[in-house]
Amino acid sequence: MHILVVHNRYASAQPSGENNVVDQEVALLREAGHRVEVFERRSDDIAARSLLSKAALPLLVPWNPAVRTELAGRLRTERPDVVHVHNVFPLLSPAVLAACADADVPAVATLHNYTQVCPPGTLQRDGRPCTECVGSAPLPAVRHGCYRNSRLATVPLAVSLSVNRRRWWSGVERFFCISAAQRDVLVRSGMPAERLAVKHNFVPDPGTCRAGAGEQVLYLGRLAEVKGVRLLMAAWDEIAASGGVGVPLVIAGAGPLEPEVTAWAAGRDDVRYVGLYDPAQCRQAVASSVAVVAPSTWLEAFGLVVVEAMAAGVPAVAAGHGAFVELVEDGVTGLLHQPGDPASLASCVRRIANDPHRNQEMGQAARRRYEQGFSPAVGLERLVEGYRTAIAGRSGGGDTVPSTGNGNTRSRRGTRASRDGGSK
């Protein structure tokens, strides 16, 4: 197949699981013999823009006409079989869907979060789950300033959600939900269920599994409230007050809570804050852990670090809501704690650290779960299946579509049904 991937890359100052997923899927498809091109923008480039350009940027969040023109021209020239859309905020906008319609190329989209129903995409406000905007106009998000605690910053996202909702639903042949939990929320919000397929993110095999009991409890991710970092600090203080678990807590990552985490960890023997790890360091840290903790207070749409732990044969302690409930089989591949409850999190960490034999069994079960559901082979199969469904759907289902056997593309009869992307 010939695939064009569309993605606005997140800023490199903080780790981005979404950037990693896009890069890994592109590499996987290319290794399988497919032709993959990338149409992207980088949020890192915003800093170099003029003051006038920066000031105008919010106006382009709902609709960027220049992107529509550029992408449509590229699609007409290159004629890919399918376009795979990931993130379009803030530099691309949903204008990419109109470009696909202009060039009559089917589109699929991976929904990495909840931006289809919630302007900031988190389904959370003030540290608690929130669904006020789900299925309705996103006025509550503006009123509460849900994006970056700013009403002004939230307005472009709310406008984009409102004016482009139907464009997304009609302009995308196939949505990839990264968990069943996410799909359930989106179906309840009114999104077309027949276009929503569950396709878990895959994780490359790290090439090594944990040997021995492990050397630390590991938190690996963004240092933010929604990730449960403050919850973890409270739980670890409780663990320390009761004598600890014999290994330190290692925190790796960056984010808005970095100063708070740095101050909290300073001078302690039972906590190490190590900053950002590169990919090799991440793999090594996971594979040498007693457990990986994922205490998010928001409803995670997936949970990449949990699957990375599975791949290394390491059990996870995760919040018992959102996608974690389907990723972690409680008591078998890891433990689920009561969301938002530091005492429950502390109890689970003690249980998983103080029983080495049970921990080892959980790690082995986690590895088996990875091989069955989250390996590259499984990821490739589901990706290609989604592409073929989108192509067949746009062509009416009767046309021949690209073969997956050897990467060669067979001709399609007739023309695809044109879907007007509309003007804006």
Side-chain angles (χ1 to χ4, degrees), residues 241-322:
S242 63
V245 290
V247 294
L249 170 66
V250 172
I251 298 178
L257 295 185
E258 184 172 349
E260 188 174 333
V261 171
T262 301
W264 176 73
R268 298 182 63 155
D269 295 330
D270 64 328
V271 179
R272 286 192 291 124
Y273 172 57
V274 297
L276 278 174
Y277 273 159
D278 63 31
Q281 289 173 315
C282 288
R283 290 191 295 271
Q284 182 179 3
V286 170
S288 61
S289 294
V290 172
V292 168
V293 289
S296 294
T297 58
W298 79 294
L299 299 176
E300 292 276 5
F302 188 60
L304 199 61
V305 70
V306 169
V307 182
E308 289 171 341
M310 288 181 187
V314 174
V317 175
H321 60 179

Side-chain angles (χ1 to χ4, degrees), residues 201-278:
N201 292 327
F202 77 91
V203 167
D205 194 319
T208 182
C209 285
R210 183 182 64 182
E215 302 169 359
Q216 73 248 335
V217 173
L218 176 68
Y219 172 86
L220 180 63
R222 190 160 55 94
L223 305 185
E225 177 75 24
V226 296
K227 294 294 186 180
V229 173
R230 287 197 176 109
L231 178 72
L232 174 60
M233 291 191 290
W236 196 260
D237 282 340
E238 181 177 326
I239 290 170
S242 63
V245 290
V247 294
L249 170 66
V250 172
I251 298 178
L257 295 185
E258 184 172 349
E260 188 174 333
V261 171
T262 301
W264 176 73
R268 298 182 63 155
D269 295 330
D270 64 328
V271 179
R272 286 192 291 124
Y273 172 57
V274 297
L276 278 174
Y277 273 159
D278 63 31

Side-chain angles (χ1 to χ4, degrees), residues 109-111 116-117 168-169 172-180 182-199 389:
T110 295
L111 303 178
Q116 292 289 321
V117 296
W168 278 104
W169 295 5
V172 175
E173 296 290 340
R174 194 76 163 172
F175 289 101
F176 292 139
C177 298
I178 54 179
S179 68
Q182 180 197 37
R183 184 183 187 276
D184 290 345
V185 171
L186 297 176
V187 170
R188 289 198 302 270
S189 77
M191 288 189 69
E194 68 277 6
R195 297 193 183 198
L196 296 169
V198 176
K199 184 196 74 62
T389 299

